[in-house]
Amino acid sequence: MTARPLVTVYSEKNEATASQIKLPAVFRAPIRPDVVSFIHDQISKNKRQARAVSTEAGKQSSAESWGTGRAVARIPRVRGGGTHRSGQGAFGNMCRGGHMFAPLKVWRRWHRRVNVAQRRYAITSAIAASGVPSLVQARGHVVDNVAEIPFVVSDKVEGFRKTKEAVSFLRRSHLWADVEKVYNSKRYRAGVGKMRNRRYKQKLGPLVIYGQDSAIARAFRNIPGVDVLNVERLNLLKVAPGGHLGRLIIWTESAFKKLDAIYGTPSAPSELKKGFVLPTAKMANPDFSRIVRSEEVVNAVRRVRKVKVTPKVHHNPLKKFKLMAALNPYATVLRDAAHKKQKA
Amino acid sequence: MSSDIVWQTIRNNSAFLKTRRNVPKRFSTERFNLMAVNSQRYNGLVNKKGVHIQLSKDGKKVDVLTKIAKNEHLPQKSTRTVSILSKNGRRARNGVANLVKTYKKRDIMPAQRFISQLLRGTPKAKK
């Protein structure tokens, strides 16, 4: 479906303005959950901090094996006496107080290189998916009363300085239900992360994407679940959180207009990304039912041969005399004789 | 949007998908899914046309919602609601069948089953 309809811009009070923008070509990029999931996985590894076990852990002992002949296992044992520790096993991964198996090293490969072309493929796919209402709903966003998807708002929103303004905008645009979902989902994290400054978990709400740097981030940042991004610096981890497609995105008018310049169209290559051309899908028309019902296919295909199978009904000759007579002609004679006898 | 593509994205991974241990069938709780089963045929998000049945807010009527295919990208305007006033099972079933048969023949049976179950489940109003 490469048709690019006009998208209405809504005012900050959720009234349709006269301005309409042609849907940017990014929204017709192929939707590839496999690519997005993989690339997201790779990119999310890039913010990891190294962790490892101390290099001397479990090795700071002068233990030595007692050798054979002492009716004990040959594990190195702690020397000396006068304490419980003396004679206990040391060093091995199986020993209490010993080093672990394969001690963790800081030089583990924490980060992943991701090819620029792949990153761009993933982000365009994620943006395209955000324009499909079914995918946004399936991801869990509450969009039943949103005016249009993709949702484009006038640039007045970029001028917001107060969270109050941001909240009233979200309420008016029927996006507050999604934020309420975030409020209701706040819960304790399971596990030790609780004591590592990651006490709470909550769902994600809408993502606001703006075109010009302004104070908009400050207006929206304190609303739980809401993220704010600049169009020119989109983050796959925010556009497709968890590697899942369909985040609810609120575009400002200037951001929406910039998309064609950033990602290009089939006719005009991207101005900002050198050598980048929008990915094309393998199938121009992926709609199976339309293909099957199309003129070309219908004309090429022969008609369905519906063989009507009517089950043959077998009647009982003992109950249906005509059938009995057909099977046994003498039955007629017998019947007439019986009738005569009755009359007599 | 092609229902096939969206289905391939959603079939294993959706906020509405319900899977449980020892339950081999997967259920799906989105609107417009009359069988509540996770399948492309009955899925409420993936198909352009869909029928949903629910009790009206005041609880006195049964609302039949249908998707307006043209307004897929305008969620606010994408459903049409017709109310069935009768809560009598037989009348409601016939009412639903009449509403649905011109819209989506395949959904007549699921809609009838759904409305019967719905009315069975609602407590009868005290006279």
Side-chain angles (χ1 to χ4, degrees), chain A residues 1 5-6 8 10 14 28 31 33 131-135 137-141 143-150 174 243-245 286-290, chain B residues 1-11 13-17 30-32 40 43-48 67 71-79:
Chain A
M1 194 169 99
L6 290 170
T8 316
Y10 292 83
N14 203 31
R28 292 290 173 246
I31 291 181
V132 181
S134 329
L135 291 177
Q137 283 188 296
R139 203 191 153 269
H141 291 288
V143 288
D144 290 331
N145 287 314
V146 175
E148 183 168 355
I149 287 179
H174 304 287
H244 299 138
L245 295 170
D287 199 336
F288 177 71
S289 31
R290 285 196 78 179
Chain B
M1 194 65 222
S2 159
S3 75
D4 302 289
I5 288 194
V6 183
W7 172 244
Q8 287 302 323
T9 310
I10 283 180
R11 52 174 287 271
N13 186 345
S14 151
F16 304 102
L17 181 60
E30 74 272 0
R31 274 194 326 170
F32 299 103
Q40 188 180 0
N43 190 287
L45 297 169
V46 140
N47 296 309
K48 266 199 311 210
K67 275 193 182 185
N71 292 346
E72 205 182 332
H73 58 292
L74 306 166
Q76 207 173 30
K77 297 188 199 159
S78 66
T79 61

XYZ file of all heavy atoms in Angstrom, chain A residues 1 5-6 8 10 14 28 31 33 131-135 137-141 143-150 174 243-245 286-290, chain B residues 1-11 13-17 30-32 40 43-48 67 71-79:
577
model
N 0.841 -1.194 0.000
C 0.000 0.000 0.000
C 0.870 1.236 0.000
O 1.268 1.729 1.029
C -0.890 -0.024 1.245
C -1.995 0.969 1.176
S -3.189 0.689 2.487
C -2.691 1.883 3.679
N -1.848 9.216 1.922
C -2.954 10.148 2.132
C -2.524 11.393 2.883
O -1.399 11.490 3.361
C -3.930 9.331 2.983
C -3.079 8.363 3.705
C -1.953 8.028 2.789
N -3.462 12.338 2.995
C -3.200 13.556 3.748
C -3.546 13.334 5.214
O -4.565 12.742 5.537
C -4.051 14.708 3.195
C -3.646 15.209 1.824
C -4.701 16.154 1.299
C -2.303 15.916 1.883
N -4.321 15.094 8.824
C -4.751 16.383 9.381
C -3.924 16.748 10.597
O -3.586 15.899 11.416
C -6.222 16.289 9.830
O -6.940 15.613 8.821
C -6.812 17.663 10.045
N -3.796 18.618 14.124
C -4.755 19.007 15.160
C -4.170 20.100 16.020
O -2.960 20.145 16.255
C -5.140 17.779 16.007
C -5.944 16.792 15.200
C -5.316 15.870 14.378
C -7.334 16.840 15.205
C -6.054 15.005 13.600
C -8.075 15.970 14.423
C -7.422 15.057 13.611
O -8.150 14.202 12.837
N -7.167 19.890 20.311
C -7.756 18.742 19.610
C -8.837 19.129 18.608
O -9.818 18.422 18.430
C -8.314 17.707 20.604
C -8.415 16.324 19.975
O -7.627 15.966 19.121
N -9.406 15.559 20.387
N 5.496 4.239 4.844
C 5.212 3.125 3.946
C 6.413 2.175 3.871
O 6.480 1.305 3.006
C 4.874 3.663 2.544
C 3.562 4.406 2.509
C 2.403 3.469 2.689
N 1.147 4.155 2.828
C 0.396 4.162 3.938
N 0.802 3.528 5.010
N -0.757 4.804 3.969
N 7.213 -3.203 7.296
C 7.138 -3.422 8.737
C 7.801 -4.754 9.044
O 7.299 -5.812 8.652
C 5.675 -3.399 9.186
C 5.162 -1.976 9.033
C 5.558 -3.845 10.629
C 3.753 -1.797 9.449
N 9.095 -6.807 12.065
C 9.300 -7.030 13.486
C 10.582 -7.811 13.781
O 11.211 -7.608 14.822
C 8.069 -7.831 13.908
C 7.442 -8.315 12.665
C 7.851 -7.421 11.582
N 2.378 4.082 12.619
C 1.274 4.673 11.884
C 0.128 3.708 11.656
O -0.859 4.042 11.002
N 0.256 2.481 12.171
C -0.800 1.487 11.988
C -1.558 1.353 13.303
O -1.017 0.849 14.278
C -0.195 0.119 11.608
C -1.296 -0.886 11.392
C 0.668 0.255 10.368
N -2.809 1.803 13.354
C -3.542 1.808 14.619
C -3.623 0.428 15.276
O -3.544 0.320 16.500
C -4.941 2.288 14.231
C -4.758 2.998 12.948
C -3.594 2.383 12.265
N -3.754 -0.633 14.460
C -3.843 -1.975 15.046
C -2.598 -2.322 15.828
O -2.666 -2.916 16.894
C -4.042 -3.029 13.966
O -4.750 -2.514 12.900
N -1.442 -1.957 15.267
C -0.195 -2.296 15.949
C -0.030 -1.484 17.233
O 0.475 -1.978 18.228
C 1.001 -2.060 15.020
C 1.087 -3.034 13.849
C 2.249 -2.683 12.951
C 1.221 -4.465 14.336
N -2.453 -0.389 19.084
C -3.355 -0.979 20.076
C -2.829 -2.299 20.605
O -2.933 -2.581 21.785
C -4.727 -1.237 19.450
C -5.551 -0.001 19.311
C -6.944 -0.353 18.880
O -7.158 -0.876 17.802
N -7.892 -0.070 19.732
N -2.266 -3.090 19.692
C -1.760 -4.403 20.106
C -0.590 -4.257 21.064
O -0.365 -5.119 21.917
C -1.324 -5.213 18.887
N 0.138 -3.143 20.948
C 1.249 -2.929 21.866
C 0.733 -2.574 23.262
O 1.450 -2.659 24.238
C 2.175 -1.833 21.346
C 3.545 -1.979 21.943
C 4.454 -0.821 21.710
N 5.384 -0.803 22.805
C 5.213 -0.144 23.938
N 4.171 0.637 24.087
N 6.091 -0.245 24.917
N -0.563 -2.170 23.297
C -1.145 -1.926 24.611
C -1.552 -0.487 24.870
O -2.000 -0.160 25.949
N -1.401 0.383 23.870
C -1.791 1.775 24.084
C -3.294 1.921 23.989
O -3.967 1.202 23.261
C -1.129 2.673 23.037
C 0.351 2.776 23.214
N 0.928 3.473 24.245
C 1.374 2.261 22.499
C 2.239 3.377 24.159
N 2.545 2.644 23.106
N -5.999 3.867 22.532
C -6.185 4.888 21.492
C -7.608 4.937 20.969
O -7.845 5.410 19.876
C -5.227 4.654 20.295
C -3.829 4.987 20.672
C -5.338 3.238 19.797
N -8.569 4.437 21.751
C -9.931 4.339 21.226
C -10.514 5.673 20.815
O -11.321 5.744 19.911
C -10.838 3.691 22.278
C -10.488 2.223 22.447
O -10.022 1.622 21.474
O -10.684 1.697 23.556
N -10.122 6.749 21.523
C -10.728 8.042 21.215
C -9.775 9.042 20.598
O -10.078 10.227 20.512
C -11.308 8.643 22.498
C -12.563 7.903 22.888
O -13.396 7.649 22.044
N -12.669 7.543 24.145
N -8.606 8.569 20.143
C -7.662 9.490 19.522
C -8.191 9.863 18.143
O -8.769 9.042 17.447
C -6.277 8.826 19.416
C -5.312 9.700 18.666
C -5.746 8.528 20.799
N -7.980 11.141 17.762
C -8.587 11.610 16.524
C -8.029 10.931 15.285
O -8.772 10.575 14.376
C -8.418 13.115 16.416
N -6.727 10.743 15.207
C -6.128 10.172 14.010
C -4.783 9.552 14.341
O -4.090 9.985 15.248
C -5.921 11.279 12.969
C -5.359 10.766 11.641
C -5.444 11.799 10.544
O -6.009 12.871 10.778
O -4.938 11.529 9.439
N -4.458 8.509 13.604
C -3.110 7.948 13.749
C -2.514 7.865 12.370
O -3.108 7.249 11.487
C -3.164 6.545 14.393
C -3.493 6.721 15.873
C -1.844 5.817 14.263
C -3.605 5.446 16.633
N -1.337 8.448 12.108
C -0.459 9.158 13.034
C -1.037 10.470 13.553
O -1.726 11.166 12.816
C 0.791 9.421 12.209
C 0.487 9.080 10.819
C -0.816 8.386 10.751
N -7.483 13.169 24.254
C -7.856 11.796 24.616
C -6.645 10.872 24.694
O -6.748 9.685 24.427
C -8.880 11.215 23.632
C -10.109 12.058 23.525
N -11.052 12.102 24.527
C -10.523 12.902 22.560
C -12.005 12.936 24.161
N -11.720 13.435 22.983
N 11.827 -3.809 21.652
C 11.889 -4.447 20.342
C 10.521 -4.675 19.752
O 10.372 -5.357 18.739
N 9.484 -4.107 20.392
C 8.131 -4.298 19.922
C 7.638 -3.086 19.156
O 7.853 -1.954 19.544
C 7.194 -4.554 21.118
C 7.587 -5.788 21.867
N 7.585 -5.851 23.238
C 8.009 -6.991 21.444
C 7.983 -7.058 23.616
N 8.245 -7.757 22.542
N 6.944 -3.352 18.053
C 6.497 -2.272 17.190
C 5.227 -1.633 17.720
O 4.448 -2.250 18.427
C 6.223 -2.832 15.792
C 7.447 -3.376 15.060
C 6.992 -4.101 13.826
C 8.387 -2.260 14.703
N 0.744 -6.791 -0.443
C 0.782 -7.948 0.444
C -0.596 -8.447 0.872
O -0.704 -9.343 1.689
C 1.531 -7.425 1.661
C 1.211 -5.984 1.690
C 0.934 -5.538 0.304
N -1.645 -7.854 0.326
C -2.979 -8.193 0.782
C -3.489 -9.413 0.037
O -3.903 -9.315 -1.125
C -3.898 -6.990 0.549
C -5.141 -7.087 1.390
O -5.528 -8.207 1.779
O -5.731 -6.032 1.657
N -3.479 -10.549 0.663
C -3.824 -11.804 0.014
C -5.228 -11.799 -0.562
O -5.446 -12.210 -1.705
C -3.670 -12.960 0.999
C -4.079 -14.289 0.447
C -3.309 -14.907 -0.521
C -5.242 -14.915 0.865
C -3.683 -16.129 -1.045
C -5.622 -16.133 0.355
C -4.841 -16.741 -0.607
N -6.185 -11.306 0.224
C -7.563 -11.359 -0.274
C -7.761 -10.487 -1.498
O -8.511 -10.810 -2.397
C -8.557 -10.989 0.820
O -7.998 -10.081 1.695
N -7.022 -9.357 -1.554
C -7.176 -8.506 -2.733
C -6.555 -9.155 -3.964
O -7.074 -9.071 -5.062
C -6.518 -7.150 -2.494
C -7.340 -6.293 -1.579
C -6.932 -4.868 -1.638
N -7.461 -4.234 -2.828
C -7.257 -2.959 -3.107
N -6.523 -2.223 -2.313
N -7.756 -2.428 -4.196
N -4.245 -1.220 5.940
C -3.011 -1.982 6.137
C -3.330 -3.449 5.937
O -4.316 -3.939 6.450
C -2.525 -1.747 7.565
C -1.100 -2.193 7.806
S 0.071 -1.257 6.866
C 1.178 -2.489 6.310
N -2.492 -4.115 5.197
C -2.764 -5.521 4.893
C -2.934 -6.330 6.173
O -2.083 -6.320 7.050
C -1.607 -6.080 4.081
O -1.590 -7.472 4.184
N -4.053 -7.053 6.220
C -4.304 -7.790 7.457
C -3.291 -8.904 7.634
O -2.984 -9.299 8.754
C -5.729 -8.334 7.457
O -5.820 -9.442 6.600
N -2.755 -9.389 6.521
C -1.789 -10.480 6.635
C -0.513 -10.020 7.318
O 0.031 -10.701 8.175
C -1.476 -11.029 5.239
C -2.727 -11.513 4.539
O -3.260 -12.548 4.960
O -3.180 -10.836 3.597
N -0.033 -8.840 6.927
C 1.212 -8.338 7.523
C 1.021 -8.030 8.999
O 1.836 -8.405 9.839
C 1.705 -7.084 6.782
C 2.246 -7.474 5.417
C 2.764 -6.357 7.582
C 3.037 -6.405 4.750
N -0.070 -7.349 9.300
C -0.303 -6.991 10.701
C -0.467 -8.257 11.536
O 0.031 -8.350 12.651
C -1.539 -6.088 10.828
C -1.730 -5.664 12.270
C -1.377 -4.854 9.970
N -1.143 -9.252 10.957
C -1.343 -10.503 11.692
C -0.011 -11.174 12.011
O 0.213 -11.658 13.105
C -2.243 -11.457 10.906
C -2.328 -12.807 11.527
C -1.900 -13.978 11.003
C -2.855 -13.121 12.833
N -2.125 -15.004 11.887
C -2.703 -14.505 13.011
C -3.428 -12.368 13.859
C -3.107 -15.155 14.165
C -3.827 -13.019 15.021
C -3.662 -14.392 15.160
N 0.904 -11.180 11.057
C 2.203 -11.806 11.302
C 2.951 -11.105 12.430
O 3.741 -11.717 13.126
C 3.064 -11.789 10.024
C 2.611 -12.772 8.965
C 2.603 -14.201 9.474
O 3.462 -14.608 10.240
N 1.620 -14.980 9.071
N 2.707 -9.812 12.608
C 3.363 -9.084 13.694
C 2.694 -9.381 15.025
O 3.341 -9.515 16.050
C 3.281 -7.568 13.419
O 3.718 -7.319 12.097
C 4.143 -6.802 14.390
N 1.371 -9.479 14.992
C 0.596 -9.561 16.233
C 0.380 -10.979 16.738
O 0.136 -11.182 17.924
C -0.786 -8.901 15.981
C -0.671 -7.408 15.989
C -1.792 -9.332 16.975
C -1.992 -6.755 15.749
N 0.477 -11.969 15.875
C -0.025 -13.297 16.230
C 0.607 -13.881 17.469
O -0.005 -14.613 18.225
C 0.125 -14.272 15.057
C 1.495 -14.352 14.453
C 1.518 -15.439 13.418
N 1.492 -16.740 14.061
C 2.565 -17.407 14.437
N 3.755 -16.916 14.219
N 2.444 -18.586 15.019
N 2.356 -11.923 19.764
C 2.865 -10.851 20.601
C 1.869 -9.709 20.597
O 1.819 -8.933 19.666
C 4.180 -10.400 19.938
C 4.875 -9.391 20.802
O 4.302 -8.837 21.717
N 6.126 -9.161 20.503
N 1.027 -9.663 21.606
C 0.013 -8.618 21.625
C -0.437 -8.410 23.051
O -0.377 -9.325 23.869
C -1.157 -9.054 20.739
O -2.351 -8.492 21.193
N -0.891 -7.198 23.357
C -1.353 -6.922 24.709
C -2.613 -7.709 25.040
O -2.977 -7.884 26.193
C -1.629 -5.437 24.861
N -3.292 -8.189 24.003
C -4.579 -8.848 24.234
C -4.482 -10.358 24.240
O -5.441 -11.046 24.524
C -5.586 -8.431 23.159
C -5.770 -6.954 23.077
C -5.171 -6.214 22.085
C -6.529 -6.301 24.033
C -5.327 -4.850 22.019
C -6.689 -4.930 23.981
C -6.089 -4.202 22.968
N -3.294 -10.860 23.919
C -3.110 -12.306 23.821
C -3.084 -12.924 25.202
O -2.397 -12.447 26.091
C -1.790 -12.571 23.106
C -1.368 -13.996 22.854
C -2.387 -14.698 22.021
C -0.018 -14.020 22.171
N -9.271 -8.572 22.566
C -9.523 -7.239 22.022
C -10.978 -7.113 21.589
O -11.699 -8.093 21.477
C -8.607 -6.957 20.820
C -8.961 -7.665 19.540
C -8.302 -9.019 19.458
O -7.590 -9.382 20.392
O -8.523 -9.718 18.463
N -11.372 -5.857 21.362
C -12.719 -5.605 20.851
C -12.801 -6.142 19.437
O -11.809 -6.276 18.747
C -12.988 -4.101 20.799
C -13.489 -3.542 22.084
C -14.070 -2.167 21.962
N -13.462 -1.305 20.980
C -13.971 -0.147 20.607
N -15.107 0.264 21.146
N -13.372 0.594 19.710
N -14.005 -6.389 18.977
C -14.257 -6.870 17.614
C -13.785 -8.296 17.397
O -13.711 -8.759 16.263
C -13.649 -5.950 16.544
C -14.218 -4.570 16.592
C -13.502 -3.531 17.144
C -15.499 -4.332 16.142
C -14.035 -2.262 17.229
C -16.055 -3.061 16.210
C -15.313 -2.029 16.753
N -6.308 -15.276 12.854
C -6.403 -14.161 11.920
C -7.861 -13.916 11.527
O -8.294 -12.796 11.337
C -5.585 -14.457 10.674
C -5.505 -13.245 9.757
C -4.707 -13.512 8.518
O -4.193 -14.605 8.317
N -4.593 -12.514 7.671
N -9.595 -12.118 14.604
C -8.914 -11.033 15.300
C -9.591 -9.694 15.063
O -10.035 -9.385 13.966
C -7.459 -10.960 14.837
C -6.653 -10.013 15.692
O -6.789 -8.805 15.604
N -5.821 -10.553 16.550
N -9.697 -8.890 16.108
C -10.410 -7.629 16.000
C -9.563 -6.467 15.535
O -10.094 -5.440 15.143
N -8.259 -6.610 15.576
C -7.413 -5.472 15.208
C -6.994 -5.553 13.759
O -6.828 -4.562 13.080
C -6.144 -5.477 16.069
C -6.355 -5.315 17.567
C -5.076 -5.602 18.289
C -6.832 -3.922 17.880
N -6.827 -6.768 13.299
C -6.186 -7.016 12.024
C -7.131 -6.862 10.833
O -6.727 -6.469 9.750
C -5.596 -8.443 12.116
C -5.763 -9.210 10.875
C -4.170 -8.386 12.573
N -8.421 -7.138 11.072
C -9.369 -7.138 9.967
C -10.043 -5.798 9.803
O -10.364 -5.119 10.766
C -10.429 -8.218 10.192
C -9.811 -9.598 10.175
O -9.095 -9.947 9.267
N -10.090 -10.377 11.199
N -10.310 -5.446 8.531
C -10.899 -4.136 8.260
C -12.316 -4.038 8.781
O -12.768 -2.993 9.189
C -10.909 -3.886 6.747
C -9.718 -3.125 6.261
C -9.958 -2.517 4.914
C -10.514 -3.522 3.955
N -10.158 -3.274 2.575
N -17.097 -1.861 12.647
C -15.971 -1.026 12.224
C -16.299 -0.366 10.900
O -16.837 -1.000 10.006
C -14.754 -1.916 11.986
C -13.938 -2.242 13.171
C -12.641 -2.836 12.653
C -11.758 -3.246 13.766
N -10.476 -3.710 13.234
N -12.410 4.426 7.949
C -11.857 5.249 9.030
C -10.890 4.510 9.915
O -10.756 4.815 11.092
C -13.010 5.796 9.883
C -13.834 6.797 9.141
O -13.421 7.281 8.100
N -15.006 7.091 9.662
N -10.194 3.556 9.330
C -9.263 2.756 10.114
C -8.245 3.610 10.861
O -7.872 3.333 11.978
C -8.530 1.826 9.150
C -7.996 0.588 9.780
C -7.240 -0.262 8.780
O -7.577 -0.190 7.587
O -6.315 -0.964 9.186
N -7.800 4.712 10.219
C -6.749 5.519 10.841
C -7.321 6.645 11.697
O -6.581 7.480 12.210
C -5.833 6.102 9.767
C -6.582 6.939 8.789
N -7.497 6.433 7.902
C -6.586 8.261 8.577
C -8.008 7.407 7.191
N -7.481 8.529 7.575
N -8.629 6.710 11.846
C -9.252 7.720 12.695
C -9.995 7.004 13.811
O -11.206 6.822 13.741
C -10.260 8.552 11.890
C -9.772 9.205 10.615
C -10.970 9.676 9.804
C -8.866 10.367 10.910
N -9.296 6.570 14.842
C -9.910 5.712 15.862
C -11.196 6.267 16.460
O -12.131 5.532 16.736
C -8.832 5.600 16.940
C -7.565 5.864 16.224
C -7.883 6.825 15.138
N -11.248 7.601 16.597
C -12.438 8.181 17.223
C -13.687 7.928 16.390
O -14.774 7.758 16.911
C -12.229 9.677 17.361
C -12.978 10.306 18.482
C -12.561 11.754 18.643
O -12.188 12.402 17.683
N -12.639 12.229 19.857
N -13.500 7.921 15.047
C -14.671 7.802 14.171
C -14.770 6.433 13.532
O -15.433 6.254 12.535
C -14.560 8.826 13.035
C -14.576 10.239 13.471
C -14.670 11.124 12.250
C -14.217 12.534 12.583
N -13.840 13.254 11.389
N -14.059 5.475 14.087
C -13.962 4.224 13.337
C -15.018 3.197 13.687
O -14.996 2.095 13.157
C -12.588 3.603 13.550
O -12.483 3.233 14.905
N -15.935 3.526 14.596
C -16.970 2.524 14.907
C -18.351 3.115 14.757
O -18.572 4.299 14.932
C -16.854 2.006 16.347
O -17.026 3.117 17.228
C -15.516 1.376 16.607
